Amino acid sequence: MARTGSGIHCGRYTNQPVDAAVVFLIGMRFNAIHRPDRWAPVFTAMPKMLKYLAQRPEVGMMAYDLWFGRTTLALTYWRSVQHLQDFASDREAPHLEPWRAFMRRVGDDGTVGIWHETYEISPGSHETVYANMPAFGLGKAVGVRPVGAGTTTARRRMQEAGTGRQLTG
């Protein structure tokens, strides 16, 4: 696999076959930028959770990427919905207490928005392509391989994902 010194996979790549995974998007929005007393605890909770998860692959998170702005975004990939839910409800993990603190301190006062979306990936329900990119997204979570025979179009990658095997021709 051709890679540059900066970790970029040159050419076109797709993800390795995957039977199932979960895409979990989560973030916050600064609604009152002048109120760091409200948003700072929320903002600083996510890096602690991601560090915890990165150090414990058995918990089920496979990979993540972050974007910052007025609305922040963490794109995460999980082994299953059950893994995600188990983490969210684990009293020993760094999620429940920040969630409860948010509800106590901020609640519905409108100063900070939080959001998440969960999507299950099943065979035939996804396809990926990366061109001249470092490890990213689902490919970062499960690995990548060059686009080749049977994976040159989005339609073919969807078909391959549905069969769980590499197509030819």
Side-chain angles (χ1 to χ4, degrees):
M1 199 175 306
R3 293 178 83 173
T4 67
S6 61
I8 294 173
H9 297 280
C10 297
R12 292 176 61 214
Y13 291 82
T14 188
N15 66 277
Q16 292 287 356
V18 61
D19 290 330
V22 172
V23 179
F24 183 65
L25 304 168
I26 186 167
M28 65 167 279
R29 184 174 190 275
F30 300 96
N31 292 331
I33 196 77
H34 64 283
R35 294 296 308 269
D37 59 311
R38 296 290 200 200
W39 56 258
V42 179
F43 186 77
T44 59
M46 183 56 69
K48 293 173 188 171
M49 288 182 220
L50 292 172
K51 181 179 179 182
Y52 173 92
L53 291 162
Q55 292 173 342
R56 294 166 179 82
E58 70 277 5
V59 174
M61 187 184 74
M62 298 185 292
Y64 72 90
D65 286 289
L66 299 170
W67 291 270
F68 298 100
R70 181 172 184 184
T71 300
T72 64
L73 167 65
L75 167 63
T76 66
Y77 292 87
W78 292 76
R79 296 191 191 292
S80 69
V81 170
Q82 190 63 54
H83 281 96
L84 176 60
Q85 291 172 342
D86 288 349
F87 166 70
S89 61
D90 183 347
R91 294 179 192 278
E92 303 300 315
H95 173 266
L96 271 182
E97 186 47 40
W99 169 246
R100 290 175 178 153
F102 173 82
M103 294 307 293
R104 282 191 311 270
R105 290 186 214 139
V106 178
D108 60 0
D109 74 7
T111 59
V112 182
I114 59 171
W115 62 277
H116 78 255
E117 298 176 0
T118 307
Y119 304 96
E120 284 189 275
I121 295 174
S122 58
S125 70
H126 69 282
E127 69 86 24
T128 64
V129 71
Y130 312 97
N132 302 322
M133 288 286 294
F136 182 82
L138 185 60
K140 183 177 182 179
V142 300
V144 296
R145 61 199 164 104
V147 167
T151 60
T152 57
T153 67
R155 180 184 316 269
R156 296 293 293 194
R157 289 187 296 275
M158 290 288 283
Q159 288 173 341
E160 179 193 33
T163 64
R165 62 181 170 80
Q166 189 168 354
L167 299 175
T168 57

